[in-house]
Amino acid sequence: MLRIAKIISVTLVCFIFGVMLAWQYKSINNNSERTALENQRMERLTEQLVQLQKMNNDLEKRLAELKEENDELLSAATNGRDFRERLNKELMDTKIFAGLVPVKGPGLVITIDDGPIFNVQDSDLLLIINELRAADAQAISVNEERVVPMTEFRSTTDSYVMVNGNRLTVPFVIKAIGDPEKMEHSLKMIGGVIDQLETYEFKISVQKSNDIIIPAVRDDGSVIRIDLMSPVTEGR
């Protein structure tokens, strides 16, 4: 009886020990699988992180390239705009100098009329205009006819003067844009233009103005003619 009891005790202990070993083995196995899964997950996350870092580097590089291209385009646009503005200003300056556009500014208004004996001639008008030019007048007109380098003055046997192909009669109103003080002083100096013209008893007045408007020369080709001219090419 005692022997049977020992056998049963040994058997029970072996059974319990076996169950404990099986449970521990299963637990270790589960831990190993979990560790393997976590390692696999960590490897995938590491790969994704590396890919994201590469994508981020590529995007930063592309962003830098686009910024550089944008800066170049902005610079080109600014340079192009500056060039167009400079070209337009040069074109306008040329038109003003050639008398192709109306202009305004400060200056003098000189009115001259016939005397009791003598009539105003083309030489009298040129005397005034040349003196104004010597005093740095920047634009001149006679009876609203713009005076340009190609303007001609010609007196006739009748009581008019041909200017730019038009008949102008007294009173002649000469407008000049420039420094009013300088031009007036030049005209009125002792023994100057006004003194010379007054010997013919012409009626002359000189007035300053801050708002003189001088029209453009006619653009019908009758005053400024360039049909027989062409630019000289390099080396010719």
Side-chain angles (χ1 to χ4, degrees):
M1 185 68 180
L2 183 58
R3 185 178 179 183
I4 293 173
K6 288 181 179 180
I7 292 173
I8 292 174
S9 298
V10 171
T11 301
L12 183 59
V13 170
C14 290
F15 176 76
I16 293 172
F17 184 71
V19 170
M20 291 177 64
L21 286 176
W23 181 81
Q24 187 175 8
Y25 175 78
K26 183 176 181 181
S27 177
I28 292 173
N29 190 45
N30 288 338
N31 289 335
S32 298
E33 291 178 355
R34 186 180 299 110
T35 300
L37 291 173
E38 289 179 354
N39 289 337
Q40 291 177 0
R41 183 169 178 271
M42 184 62 69
E43 290 176 357
R44 287 196 302 269
L45 290 175
T46 302
E47 292 176 356
Q48 292 176 359
L49 179 61
V50 171
Q51 291 177 354
L52 288 174
Q53 288 177 341
K54 184 177 182 302
M55 290 176 60
N56 184 63
N57 292 335
D58 292 341
L59 289 174
E60 288 182 350
K61 181 179 179 181
R62 182 55 179 162
L63 179 62
E65 293 174 351
L66 291 174
K67 185 177 182 301
E68 183 178 357
E69 292 176 4
N70 183 66
D71 292 342
E72 291 176 355
L73 290 174
L74 288 176
S75 177
T78 301
N79 292 336
R81 183 168 58 252
D82 292 343
F83 175 76
R84 287 193 300 272
E85 290 177 356
R86 186 168 63 254
L87 187 62
N88 288 334
K89 183 181 183 304
E90 291 177 357
L91 178 60
M92 180 55 66
D93 290 345
T94 301
K95 287 183 176 181
I96 291 174
F97 180 77
L100 298 177
V101 294
V103 291
K104 64 179 181 179
L108 296 180
V109 178
I110 303 108
T111 305
I112 180 170
D113 204 344
D114 293 336
I117 299 175
F118 299 101
N119 293 333
V120 178
Q121 301 294 308
D122 55 352
S123 58
D124 302 318
L125 297 178
L126 284 171
L127 194 64
I128 297 174
I129 289 171
N130 287 337
E131 191 64 34
L132 291 171
R133 284 172 170 166
D136 297 328
Q138 297 180 6
I140 302 173
S141 68
V142 180
N143 287 13
E144 301 305 312
E145 281 290 332
R146 183 74 169 266
V147 178
V148 295
M150 300 180 75
T151 296
E152 85 287 352
F153 289 80
R154 188 172 72 254
S155 293
T156 66
T157 55
D158 298 319
S159 58
Y160 62 82
V161 176
M162 297 292 295
V163 178
N164 288 341
N166 283 343
R167 295 181 179 183
L168 304 184
T169 58
V170 292
F172 296 108
V173 179
I174 301 173
K175 297 179 182 178
I177 292 177
D179 184 339
E181 300 291 340
K182 183 177 182 179
M183 292 189 295
E184 183 181 39
H185 175 74
S186 182
L187 291 173
K188 290 185 175 181
M189 69 174 59
I190 298 175
V193 172
I194 300 298
D195 281 354
Q196 294 178 45
L197 294 176
E198 285 180 343
T199 61
Y200 300 105
E201 298 184 12
F202 293 148
K203 294 183 282 292
I204 304 174
S205 68
V206 179
Q207 294 180 334
K208 299 176 185 177
S209 175
N210 290 322
D211 192 24
I212 292 177
I213 297 177
I214 294 180
V217 68
R218 296 194 311 276
D219 60 356
D220 57 4
S222 61
V223 180
I224 299 179
R225 296 177 293 274
I226 60 172
D227 56 302
L228 300 179
M229 296 189 295
S230 61
V232 177
T233 58
E234 186 176 355
R236 294 291 302 277

